[in-house]
Amino acid sequence: MRRVLGQSPGLRRFVVARALSRAGDAVFPIGLAAAMVEQSFGASDVGVVMGASLAPVVLLMPIGGVVLDHFNARTPMVAADIARTLLQALLTFSLLAGRPPLWLILVLSLASGAAQAFFQPGVAGMLRQLAPERLREANATIRTLESVVALTAPALAGVVIAVSDAAIVIALDACTFAASAWLLAGIRLKGAAPATAPPRIWRELREGWQEFTARPWLWSVVSVFSLFGLVVFGPFDVLKAIVLIDRFGAASYAWLMSAFSLGAVLGGLLALATAPARPLRTGLLALLGFVPLPVVISLDLPVTLVAAAMVTGGAANAYWAVVWATSVQSHAPPHALSRIHAYDVIGSIGLMPAGRALTGAATAWTSAATVLFTSSAALLAGCAALLLVPAVRRLPADRPPQEQKAPAGPAAATRHARDH
């Protein structure tokens, strides 16, 4: 880890910025769910708001990918962080002033998601520029440090909720965005001069889509994870908050999320220490450790057993995240990486807003336990299906020499020639 962070000041600033952002991401759902529950919003309201934050990401991220591929990625990323700082501050004030109307929370969530659409696609490209020779180690380092701060952040959120108001937790999230903007603004990227002409949006979207669909391992994983967003992670995100807060209280829920982050630290360290020859195969086998978690939450078990399942699920999720991010960054062509990353993200989370928003109705129609059992079964079936796909199972850790020489597809070849 020290060897990776010692490469450049820019990489250190990037890693710290990502860690702070992860801390904010960890506490925001806790603060928002607790604040809405305290102010008598129901499970359906919480689910709709959480889904609203992802909807503009799905709609706008392809355009964000074009912008970030075409221009200096740092500038729109900093602007997005500043916008989210202001939006989270406004949400904090509205919650502290009393019970805000649901439409106001929805509007602020939608605007925050729109800003994220012009931030997230640039993460992969910036990391590839800052650590081109050590992508796996850099991804594992980021995931580990993110998990370390996420381990302590929910605990801090629990303390804040216990002694003051849950809305203060959202104010802390705003502070992390402000710090991230300052850190990213100080990074200088080599060869990152702004483009001289505006992007041709539809043409470049089409070229990015051709690069994405030319790789079966890529689109097959993203397709399955899109379904996971609907039936696994969308319902899990809502119900883990509702069920655990109702059973153990908001402060204990924050501590349980810290246990999940502890597992993520362990998963990140494991990814840093290992270099599997077939990373996606190994990552999918590791992700099976997440399967029991929704079932455990659905059962009336002691908090210690829930915490143990949180640790295991966090480790499995973190290990998969590292090998997946590294595989995309290693095998995707540099000139289209932001667009491919955008298609990856929106495909993976595209149905998650619907999954979150429909959780309340599904729970009312059946039960929270049934929905969570279904999530575990779907995750198990999806991982098994992906392991049967040869392109996924056999993907090597290193990019094949023929892909290093030229990008895939005729449109990409044209773009490659134009850029070089």
Side-chain angles (χ1 to χ4, degrees):
M1 187 181 297
R2 183 179 302 174
R3 180 174 56 183
V4 174
L5 293 177
Q7 285 193 345
S8 71
L11 181 58
R12 287 194 295 273
R13 294 179 74 94
F14 182 79
V15 168
V16 174
R18 296 303 302 145
L20 288 173
S21 293
R22 180 66 185 92
D25 292 342
V27 302
F28 175 70
I30 298 171
L32 181 60
M36 293 186 70
V37 170
E38 286 176 359
Q39 299 193 21
S40 302
F41 289 98
S44 296
D45 294 332
V46 175
V48 168
V49 168
M50 289 186 173
S53 65
L54 288 180
V57 178
V58 174
L59 294 174
L60 297 177
M61 192 171 284
I63 298 175
V66 170
V67 171
L68 288 157
D69 267 337
H70 199 79
F71 298 104
N72 185 334
R74 183 195 61 202
T75 301
M77 291 174 72
V78 170
D81 268 342
I82 293 172
R84 289 187 288 181
T85 300
L86 298 175
L87 291 166
Q88 299 296 64
L90 182 56
L91 179 58
T92 300
F93 290 135
S94 68
L95 288 168
L96 289 174
R99 189 180 190 274
L102 181 62
W103 69 261
L104 178 59
I105 302 176
L106 284 171
V107 167
L108 294 175
S109 298
L110 287 168
S112 183
Q116 184 182 351
F118 289 87
F119 179 94
Q120 190 63 39
V123 171
M126 282 193 70
L127 186 59
R128 185 162 177 164
Q129 285 186 276
L130 292 169
E133 304 299 326
R134 298 186 180 277
L135 281 174
R136 180 183 58 82
E137 294 93 331
N139 278 300
T141 298
I142 289 174
R143 173 63 61 168
T144 301
L145 292 179
E146 285 179 348
S147 301
V148 169
V149 297
L151 173 64
T152 57
L156 174 62
V159 173
V160 171
I161 292 171
V163 301
S164 61
D165 194 296
I168 300 300
V169 174
I170 302 174
L172 296 176
D173 187 29
C175 293
T176 66
F177 284 131
S180 175
W182 177 75
L183 288 165
L184 293 177
I187 295 176
R188 297 293 179 265
L189 297 174
K190 295 180 180 179
T196 57
R200 299 177 180 180
I201 298 294
W202 296 115
R203 176 179 176 178
E204 297 196 26
L205 283 174
R206 185 171 61 252
E207 290 180 1
W209 180 252
Q210 289 174 340
E211 295 285 2
F212 178 82
T213 56
R215 293 163 173 81
W217 63 269
L218 180 59
W219 60 257
S220 60
V221 171
V222 172
S223 298
V224 171
F225 270 75
S226 180
L227 296 176
F228 284 171
L230 177 66
V231 298
V232 181
F233 299 115
F236 177 76
D237 285 346
V238 175
L239 290 178
K240 75 175 189 291
I242 298 298
V243 172
L244 295 178
I245 289 175
D246 181 65
R247 187 183 303 162
F248 301 117
S252 294
Y253 169 65
W255 284 103
L256 286 170
M257 292 308 297
S258 289
F260 188 87
S261 297
L262 173 60
V265 172
L266 299 176
L269 290 173
L270 182 61
L272 187 63
T274 59
R278 296 289 183 264
L280 295 188
R281 180 179 64 189
T282 305
L284 287 167
L285 291 173
L287 189 59
L288 294 176
F290 193 95
V291 170
L293 182 54
V295 173
V296 169
I297 289 176
S298 71
L299 302 175
D300 189 14
L301 297 174
V303 68
T304 52
L305 292 180
V306 177
M310 284 284 195
V311 171
T312 303
N317 186 62
Y319 189 89
W320 163 255
V322 170
V323 298
W324 174 248
T326 303
S327 296
V328 173
Q329 293 160 16
S330 298
H331 290 264
H335 71 274
L337 181 55
S338 292
R339 280 167 289 171
I340 286 177
H341 184 61
Y343 286 125
D344 167 24
V345 173
I346 65 173
S348 299
I349 69 172
L351 295 179
M352 195 176 293
R356 289 177 172 179
L358 293 173
T359 297
T363 302
W365 182 54
T366 57
S367 66
T370 300
V371 173
L372 289 168
F373 267 84
T374 303
S375 296
S376 289
L379 182 59
L380 178 61
C383 289
L386 286 173
L387 287 169
L388 294 176
V389 179
V392 173
R393 188 175 65 251
R394 299 172 185 170
L395 186 77
D398 297 323
R399 193 178 179 193
Q402 63 270 23
E403 288 195 8
Q404 295 179 15
K405 293 177 182 178
T414 303
R415 174 64 182 271
H416 183 74
R418 185 173 75 243
D419 289 348
H420 293 81

